[in-house]
Amino acid sequence: MKTTELNKIIKEIKFTDKFIKNGRMAYYIIKDKSGASVLIGFYLDSLTDKDAFFLQYFVQCLYVPFSTYNFSLGERIGNHWKKEEINDINLSLQNFKKFKTLNSFEDIIPYILNNSYYGHEIGRDEYLAYTYFILGKYSEALQNIEKITALKKHENAEWFKKDIQKAELIKEYIIKNDYDSGICQLLKWQNETITALKQPELLLV
């Protein structure tokens, strides 16, 4: 299904008032006092079937560098939908409770711990490590950073080289008690993610 059609369909879907509709996405942002942000949203994903689409929900920590929307901490609602099924979609959303607990930045950690992550485990470890860091829980951050840096011993360690380097950088800030520089680095990565997503308005929320 074409993007223009999906943009029209999402306008007919009833989300709660805190969601902002933009293109084929409906979202809200949870922001820490530092400016670190988590994107919580629904996304209409196209199929080769021109008459159908997926409805995906997801939670993405924007300060973990990623070049696209990351659906790993999320799932599809139902199988596939057609535009004639808007009423059924709205009924499904009335019964959707996953985001009920996501109201403040402190809510992110329990959400990550209590929900499946469908990408490589390193992604979950990064979410936990850097969110703990932002919350000032440095021992917990280090525990998850160590899981990332342990991949230096992986037979395919080269695959994780950039992730390991990022984790070692944040670890260095913790060891030096240079927490402000760590936050600045995470916010720099966040800006890179938002730029890659081509959604500058996320910086304004």
Side-chain angles (χ1 to χ4, degrees):
M1 185 172 285
K2 292 182 178 178
T3 297
T4 51
E5 188 67 24
L6 293 171
N7 291 351
K8 292 177 183 177
I9 290 171
I10 204 165
K11 292 177 180 178
E12 300 179 44
I13 299 176
K14 296 177 181 177
F15 301 99
T16 57
D17 291 342
K18 63 182 171 182
F19 283 91
I20 300 166
K21 293 181 180 179
N22 183 12
R24 62 168 84 178
M25 181 172 67
Y27 70 93
Y28 68 98
I29 295 283
I30 287 179
K31 185 173 286 192
D32 177 68
K33 61 185 178 181
S34 65
S37 300
V38 177
L39 174 64
I40 298 155
F42 295 94
Y43 189 87
L44 301 190
D45 213 357
S46 57
L47 286 164
T48 51
D49 181 346
K50 63 182 178 66
D51 296 318
F53 58 90
F54 288 125
L55 175 58
Q56 177 84 37
Y57 74 86
F58 68 104
V59 174
Q60 181 172 359
C61 299
L62 295 173
Y63 41 87
V64 176
F66 213 78
S67 60
T68 63
Y69 292 112
N70 186 354
F71 298 151
S72 297
L73 189 58
E75 291 187 72
R76 290 171 181 163
I77 297 176
N79 187 3
H80 62 266
W81 300 94
K82 297 193 175 182
K83 61 183 179 181
E84 295 81 13
E85 299 175 303
I86 294 294
N87 289 337
D88 292 328
I89 292 173
N90 287 332
L91 182 60
S92 292
L93 290 175
Q94 286 178 20
N95 298 316
F96 182 83
K97 308 297 182 185
K98 282 284 186 180
F99 294 160
K100 289 280 186 182
T101 60
L102 288 175
N103 301 299
S104 70
F105 198 83
E106 289 74 15
D107 297 330
I108 301 303
I109 291 291
Y111 187 89
I112 298 169
L113 292 173
N114 294 316
N115 287 277
S116 299
Y117 189 92
Y118 292 99
H120 191 282
E121 189 70 14
I122 193 173
R124 182 176 181 273
D125 293 335
E126 287 179 315
Y127 274 16
L128 288 170
Y130 304 151
T131 304
Y132 276 129
F133 180 90
I134 293 162
L135 291 169
K137 297 183 177 181
Y138 304 117
S139 60
E140 290 91 340
L142 280 173
Q143 288 173 17
N144 287 278
I145 285 172
E146 294 298 341
K147 293 179 182 178
I148 299 167
T149 57
L151 289 169
K152 286 189 286 188
K153 299 178 181 179
H154 193 282
E155 61 180 351
N156 295 308
E158 189 65 25
W159 295 353
F160 311 106
K161 183 177 179 180
K162 290 183 179 179
D163 302 294
I164 293 168
Q165 289 173 341
K166 292 194 293 282
E168 288 179 331
L169 180 58
I170 299 301
K171 179 180 179 178
E172 184 178 342
Y173 289 135
I174 295 174
I175 292 170
K176 292 180 177 179
N177 296 326
D178 189 3
Y179 307 124
D180 288 345
S181 293
I183 291 293
C184 287
Q185 182 60 64
L186 290 168
L187 293 179
K188 179 182 177 183
W189 290 337
Q190 177 171 287
N191 287 344
E192 290 171 1
T193 299
I194 291 171
T195 299
L197 294 177
K198 299 180 180 179
Q199 295 284 5
E201 62 274 8
L202 296 182
L203 290 169
L204 305 176
V205 176

